[in-house]
Amino acid sequence: MKNIHKLVMAAFCAASSLAVQAQAPGTLNILGDNHVIYRLQSKHKFLILPIEEKEENAHLRVIRDNQVVKELNCRLAIDNVDYSVPLELDTHQDSDVLLDITFQSNRRSTGAVKDFVAWKMLKTSDQFDTSNREKYRPVYHHTPLWGWMNDPNGMFYKDGVWHLYFQRNPYGSYWENMTWGHSTSKDLAHWTFEGDAITPDALGTIFSGSSVVDKENTAGFGNQAIVAFYTSAGTNQTQSLAYSTDNGKTFTKYNNNPVITANVPDFRDPHVFWNEDIKAWNLILAAGQEMNIYSSKNLKNWVLESKFGHEYGNHGGVWECPDLMKLPVSGTHETKWLLICNINPGGPFGGSATQYFIGDFDGHKFTCESKPEVTKWMDYGKDHYATVSFDNAPDGRHVVMAWMSNWQYANEVPTMQYRSANSVPRDLGLFTFGDETYVSVTPSKELLALRSAKVGKPTEACEIVMDIRSQSKPTVITLSNDKNERVVMTYNPKNRTFSMDRTLSGMTDFSNMFKTVSIAPTYGTITQLRLFIDKCSIEAFDAAGKMAMTNLVFPTQPYNNLVVKGGAKTTIYALK
């Protein structure tokens, strides 16, 4: 079953129909070689902007009654239209809308601004077509209806509903105009798009963060209020909060933002959680290549408690999107603390990845139990980044999702209507192997409900379960299509490794950094392997949680052949 999406605003459908679209009734005023004002008179809900991806961003200021009501950047079409995006208009106002548009490009290469195709293709409409036009859009992974998406943000569970916010560009499929989009789900697999929840303001665009359910009204915004923390990305990065009293549908920004500031260039991604051990809130955020840890009683006033990270782990790139949680250690009565630290670049196979640290946390200071030179990775694929957890998950679970891409090529993957998906949800735990403690990663139990009929060969959306019969020789798994595009996976029990080779997986020429053979340690033997196949991704898990690997693939036709050498009982489930 394809992703179930609620339309962003009521009646989002069939905007391409001439019955619901009209040429924008506007007047073009040329002010210079790269500067125009477009005066628009319209009672329609949207202005449909034509986008051409190869062009540079134009800067748009939306002006009404001599006031700037919105600013954004988008790649307005100059020669050709790749797709369109909606700009919402305030239909309750009687005055005209002025679009003050500045182009960055040079007229010597683009031609005269009066001849740009954008002026012929601007439309107004009360609807916008969100029907899928992409062959690679996943079946059971969350994606935006249109436009760019990166980090998951502000995730929480409440009253049977999982809430996912995400970094989003509503005005194109490249990174820009960072906004919190919002989707909801009851099963962690099929998502309803609820629109944009937190939008840019005078303090900046809206970067990553987290949300909490304030069960005891510690902030004074109301019992069970949702309190969101995010980075305001202006000239410098500061931390702000907003609150919701309608279960996360709409937010009110706190009137004393920002709530945390510092003289640090890369200062972002606040993650907040209630720490029952100290009966207070903790907040962890990325500050350059360290993590700052704060505490608060009321979610508004924060005290810097400590810093962590100097000389620990991988420092090949900027530290981002932290998380901190207490987890049980499998097979023991112990609990330890997991500190998640996403890093870009610096991943084990280049670009983005999720590293982590295990240790102790007393509410004030995190102490890592491993030696500083030890680096641990949560996922050994190329396409697993910005991993963060849901607040208030049921049954004491720690459920995470990641951005399923890599900054090395995220803007170049072969889709246009949208870019990027989230990983399948995963539950975290801890296990020991040798002298170290590691994080266990297992597909969340909700994914079992996606299984439908057993099938004889792979489909474009399926789960392959393999019971490994031999620990004396490698098990080699080849997933391929009729064009001999293939992904080769090898479990080597002697070397205790699992690898995935996507060098011949299909479309790879959009980036010279895409072809990869990724290799993961298995920390012992694998007795059951679970492979989640979707239209553009393969996620491999040791069923016991000791290995995870996430990789994008873009076959020109779906993989429909499976060959297993080395001995394994294989069951394939179509996923609905």
Side-chain angles (χ1 to χ4, degrees):
M1 181 181 359
K2 293 186 177 181
N3 287 2
I4 301 171
H5 292 291
K6 185 190 295 178
L7 300 179
V8 165
M9 298 125 198
F12 261 36
C13 62
S16 57
S17 168
L18 293 177
V20 297
Q21 274 197 351
Q23 183 73 36
T27 303
L28 180 67
N29 299 276
I30 309 296
L31 304 183
D33 288 348
N34 62 352
H35 187 196
V36 304
I37 284 182
Y38 192 89
R39 182 182 295 273
L40 178 67
Q41 309 95 26
S42 176
K43 293 298 182 181
H44 290 138
K45 182 176 261 186
F46 305 110
L47 176 63
I48 310 299
L49 301 173
I51 303 299
E52 185 174 6
E53 286 208 336
K54 73 176 180 62
E55 297 302 333
E56 297 180 53
N57 275 318
H59 183 69
L60 278 68
R61 297 194 308 149
V62 182
I63 300 172
R64 194 188 285 271
D65 295 328
N66 301 315
Q67 300 295 319
V68 177
V69 296
K70 184 175 293 186
E71 291 190 68
L72 59 108
N73 296 316
C74 69
R75 300 174 183 232
L76 279 180
I78 291 178
D79 296 310
N80 300 287
V81 179
D82 293 322
Y83 53 83
S84 297
V85 297
L87 172 63
E88 187 175 6
L89 302 173
D90 186 351
T91 57
H92 299 292
Q93 300 288 333
D94 292 329
S95 57
D96 293 351
V97 175
L98 296 183
L99 301 180
D100 186 316
I101 307 172
T102 304
F103 292 88
Q104 305 302 317
S105 50
N106 189 316
R107 70 174 292 180
R108 293 176 182 173
S109 59
T110 61
V113 67
K114 68 179 179 63
D115 297 326
F116 290 176
V117 72
W119 318 130
K120 299 177 182 178
M121 300 304 294
L122 282 172
K123 308 287 184 183
T124 58
S125 176
D126 287 324
Q127 301 171 333
F128 178 65
D129 183 10
T130 61
S131 57
N132 181 47
R133 297 185 295 277
E134 294 287 352
K135 66 179 288 187
Y136 292 120
R137 188 185 288 273
V139 172
Y140 58 92
H141 289 75
H142 173 262
T143 59
L145 284 180
W146 77 92
W148 167 271
M149 179 184 76
N150 55 295
D151 306 355
N153 297 155
M155 305 187 300
F156 71 92
Y157 174 88
K158 189 172 184 289
D159 300 331
V161 178
W162 301 87
H163 293 258
L164 166 65
Y165 301 85
F166 51 94
Q167 292 281 275
R168 156 174 162 80
N169 178 11
Y171 306 112
S173 296
Y174 280 81
W175 184 96
E176 191 62 62
N177 306 304
M178 284 296 96
T179 297
W180 275 25
H182 181 203
S183 294
T184 57
S185 175
K186 293 186 177 180
D187 64 3
L188 280 174
H190 303 102
W191 294 88
T192 298
F193 184 37
E194 305 286 359
D196 292 330
I198 304 179
T199 58
D201 57 30
L203 291 175
T205 54
I206 312 301
F207 276 19
S208 295
S210 61
S211 296
V212 295
V213 181
D214 189 7
K215 299 177 183 179
E216 303 298 329
N217 193 23
T218 62
F221 299 132
N223 288 326
Q224 302 286 320
I226 309 304
V227 185
F229 295 82
Y230 57 91
T231 297
S232 294
T235 303
N236 292 96
Q237 295 174 359
T238 59
Q239 315 314 314
S240 296
L241 72 83
Y243 61 94
S244 171
T245 56
D246 58 5
N247 286 333
K249 293 179 182 178
T250 61
F251 283 86
T252 299
K253 291 174 180 173
Y254 182 48
N255 58 11
N256 285 324
N257 283 333
V259 294
I260 302 177
T261 63
N263 183 18
V264 179
D266 296 303
F267 184 67
R268 55 179 174 261
D269 311 340
H271 190 94
V272 178
F273 62 96
W274 175 258
N275 188 339
E276 185 63 25
D277 294 348
I278 62 170
K279 306 295 184 183
W281 298 97
N282 280 125
L283 180 152
I284 181 170
L285 61 78
Q289 289 195 331
E290 289 186 314
M291 297 301 182
N292 285 6
I293 297 173
Y294 301 78
S295 67
S296 174
K297 294 291 187 180
N298 62 8
L299 290 171
K300 301 172 182 175
N301 306 113
W302 294 91
V303 175
L304 177 61
E305 298 283 356
S306 62
K307 299 174 181 287
F308 169 79
H310 182 62
E311 296 183 347
Y312 276 85
N314 187 296
H315 287 267
V318 175
W319 286 18
E320 295 185 308
C321 300
D323 203 338
L324 187 58
M325 65 192 75
K326 185 164 67 171
L327 296 169
V329 181
S330 178
T332 76
H333 298 291
E334 285 187 280
T335 58
K336 295 184 180 181
W337 285 81
L338 165 69
L339 192 159
I340 296 175
C341 169
N342 293 274
I343 184 171
N344 176 60
F349 303 100
S352 320
T354 304
Q355 69 173 325
Y356 66 90
F357 305 90
I358 306 293
D360 181 63
F361 179 59
D362 62 3
H364 308 282
K365 180 181 179 181
F366 177 81
T367 303
C368 183
E369 68 178 20
S370 300
K371 295 180 179 179
E373 62 269 21
V374 173
T375 299
K376 299 176 180 179
W377 301 105
M378 184 174 290
D379 188 293
Y380 278 82
K382 283 274 286 190
D383 299 299
H384 182 273
Y385 190 60
T387 311
V388 289
S389 63
F390 286 87
D391 182 67
N392 198 43
D395 305 319
R397 296 165 60 193
H398 293 272
V399 181
V400 299
M401 289 176 69
W403 178 47
M404 198 162 59
S405 195
N406 191 306
W407 279 114
Q408 288 183 330
Y409 44 72
N411 280 297
E412 281 74 50
V413 295
T415 62
M416 274 197 180
Q417 182 186 24
Y418 80 100
R419 281 200 174 90
S420 300
N422 290 112
S423 70
V424 293
R426 302 143 190 239
D427 277 53
L428 301 185
L430 299 176
F431 70 96
T432 56
F433 183 76
D435 296 328
E436 292 283 348
T437 304
Y438 298 93
V439 67
S440 65
V441 181
T442 54
S444 295
K445 63 182 181 180
E446 286 81 359
L447 297 175
L448 293 172
L450 297 181
R451 292 177 177 177
S452 56
K454 295 180 182 179
V455 293
K457 61 181 184 178
T459 64
E460 65 180 8
C462 65
E463 180 189 354
I464 302 174
V465 180
M466 311 192 72
D467 294 303
I468 307 298
R469 288 176 170 170
S470 174
Q471 299 294 338
S472 62
K473 58 184 178 180
T475 300
V476 181
I477 307 153
T478 302
L479 191 65
S480 65
N481 59 21
D482 295 339
K483 292 188 176 183
N484 202 30
E485 297 168 343
R486 57 192 182 273
V487 177
V488 180
M489 292 163 275
T490 304
Y491 164 54
N492 190 322
K494 181 180 179 180
N495 296 340
R496 291 176 169 170
T497 60
F498 177 86
S499 66
M500 189 184 302
D501 182 346
R502 70 175 182 190
T503 56
L504 299 174
S505 57
M507 293 184 65
T508 61
D509 59 358
F510 55 86
S511 169
N512 60 13
M513 291 174 282
F514 188 78
K515 290 185 177 183
T516 315
V517 179
S518 49
I519 304 171
T522 61
Y523 302 118
T525 59
I526 294 178
T527 58
Q528 188 180 81
L529 186 68
R530 296 177 68 184
L531 304 176
F532 287 84
I533 316 298
D534 211 338
K535 289 185 178 182
C536 65
S537 62
I538 299 175
E539 292 163 278
F541 298 90
D542 165 32
K546 296 180 293 184
M547 184 279 302
M549 182 178 290
T550 303
N551 282 314
L552 294 176
V553 289
F554 296 97
T556 57
Q557 62 185 44
Y559 302 125
N560 58 354
N561 302 306
L562 179 68
V563 176
V564 181
K565 297 180 180 180
K569 178 185 176 182
T570 302
T571 306
I572 305 175
Y573 298 93
L575 297 186
K576 58 184 179 179

